[in-house]
């Protein structure tokens, strides 16, 4: 039997940049105010005749070949049997190697406890067959979630129907977060201002 691979597909044509997903995630997972498991980058695209708003939600990509897992010196960062990348708080020593290794800036450090956090694919829900908070909250149903390896799942059917593109696919990390319409997006920023103030690796003090 094929191994389960939980994943997410985000249709960029449906995202309106309302940030309800980011708020729902914070509520569900107790993410500190200035840190983000998921965030939405928004920018203007000027076609000459009109200006429209482009939006791209981002989160941990739950990479199959995850550099954050490889560099973690204590085994705190690991992949579950469903392909979800998690952090074992008991084992995390706050060295931030994983944050530096992640090309997506998907991880953050808790300034109070020193532990590193990130999107868990709402494992406390998804491991029991429930949808993640960001998916069930999305007002336009831009996010699909489920087993990418199960041809009968909604997400696998959608990927088969319309395709799915990974962010920074050329890195070869095999992300489990895919987008519809990624290559059509123009002027995508590397990171947004709000995100730069949140999940970046800060130098050690002292
Ligand atoms: Fe986009 Fe849905 Fe998030 Fe709103 S809730 S920003 S529509 S992904
Ligand atoms: Fe690790 Fe970053 Fe990939 Fe998530 S997106 S699995 S934190 S390297
Ligand atoms: Fe947050 Fe859960 Fe969505 Fe990940 S899957 S961004 S933890 S709500």
């Amino acid at each position: 039997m094929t191994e389960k691979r939980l994943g997410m597909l985000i249709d960029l044509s449906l995202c309106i940049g309302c940030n309800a997903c980011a708020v729902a995630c914070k509520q569900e997972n107790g993410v500190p105010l200035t840190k983000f498991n998921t965030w939405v980058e928004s920018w203007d695209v000027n076609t000459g005749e009109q200006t429209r708003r482009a939006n791209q939600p981002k989160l941990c990509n739950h990479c199959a070949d995850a550099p954050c897992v490889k560099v973690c010196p204590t085994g705190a960062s690991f992949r579950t049997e469903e392909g979800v990348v998690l952090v074992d708080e008991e084992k995390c020593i706050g060295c931030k190697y994983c944050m530096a290794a992640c090309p997506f800036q998907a991880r953050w450090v808790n300034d109070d406890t020193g532990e590193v956090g990130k999107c868990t694919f709402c494992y406390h829900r998804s491991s029991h067959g429930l949808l993640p908070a960001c998916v069930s909250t999305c007002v336009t149903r831009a996010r699909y979630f489920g087993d990418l390896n199960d041809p009968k799942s909604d997400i696998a059917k959608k990927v088969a129907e319309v395709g799915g593109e990974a962010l920074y696919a050329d890195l070869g990390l095999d992300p489990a977060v895919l987008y519809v319409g990624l290559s059509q997006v123009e002027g995508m920023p590397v990171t947004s201002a709000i995100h730069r103030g949140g999940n970046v690796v800060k130098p050690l003090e002292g």
Side-chain angles (χ1 to χ4, degrees):
M1 204 170 112
T2 318
E3 252 180 28
K4 203 170 187 176
R5 177 110 199 255
L6 291 177
M8 193 179 291
L9 179 72
I10 303 176
D11 187 339
L12 296 177
S13 72
L14 294 178
C15 180
I16 57 171
C18 65
N19 274 285
C21 49
V23 175
C25 176
K26 279 185 176 290
Q27 175 73 18
E28 179 71 24
N29 295 290
V31 179
L33 192 60
T34 59
K35 311 296 163 113
F36 298 88
N37 283 357
T38 186
W39 65 100
V40 184
E41 303 195 356
S42 302
W43 64 99
D44 292 333
V45 178
N46 191 337
T47 61
E49 292 177 359
Q50 58 177 359
T51 301
R52 66 177 177 81
R53 201 78 172 139
N55 305 293
Q56 184 183 19
K58 288 188 177 175
L59 65 161
C60 167
N61 288 268
H62 298 272
C63 311
D65 191 13
C68 57
V69 172
K70 283 186 188 162
V71 300
C72 178
T74 66
S77 285
F78 67 102
R79 281 185 92 229
T80 70
E81 57 186 10
E82 304 94 340
V84 179
V85 175
L86 297 176
V87 182
D88 181 341
E89 289 181 3
E90 299 284 317
K91 291 185 181 170
C92 179
I93 56 170
C95 66
K96 305 179 191 168
Y97 286 5
C98 56
M99 291 178 70
C102 173
F104 304 98
Q105 297 188 2
R107 292 175 169 243
W108 47 266
V109 67
N110 186 318
D111 295 327
D112 295 327
T113 66
E115 289 153 2
V116 167
K118 62 181 276 301
C119 163
T120 60
F121 267 175
C122 285
Y123 196 65
H124 57 293
R125 293 171 60 98
S126 56
S127 57
H128 297 285
L130 298 173
L131 290 175
C134 59
V135 176
S136 59
T137 298
C138 180
V139 293
T140 64
R141 299 203 170 170
R143 296 189 185 221
Y144 294 76
F145 184 82
D147 183 2
L148 288 164
N149 287 345
D150 175 4
K152 293 192 190 117
S153 70
D154 284 349
I155 188 170
K157 283 186 200 161
K158 190 76 183 170
V159 170
E161 182 193 335
V162 298
E165 297 170 77
L167 187 63
Y168 307 156
D170 51 333
L171 294 179
L173 304 180
D174 192 4
V177 174
L178 302 172
Y179 295 91
V180 180
L182 190 64
S183 51
Q184 279 90 54
V185 177
E186 296 166 47
M188 186 187 301
V190 177
T191 52
S192 69
I194 185 169
H195 188 52
R196 281 202 298 273
N199 293 0
V200 290
V201 185
K202 292 189 182 129
L204 293 172
E205 287 171 13

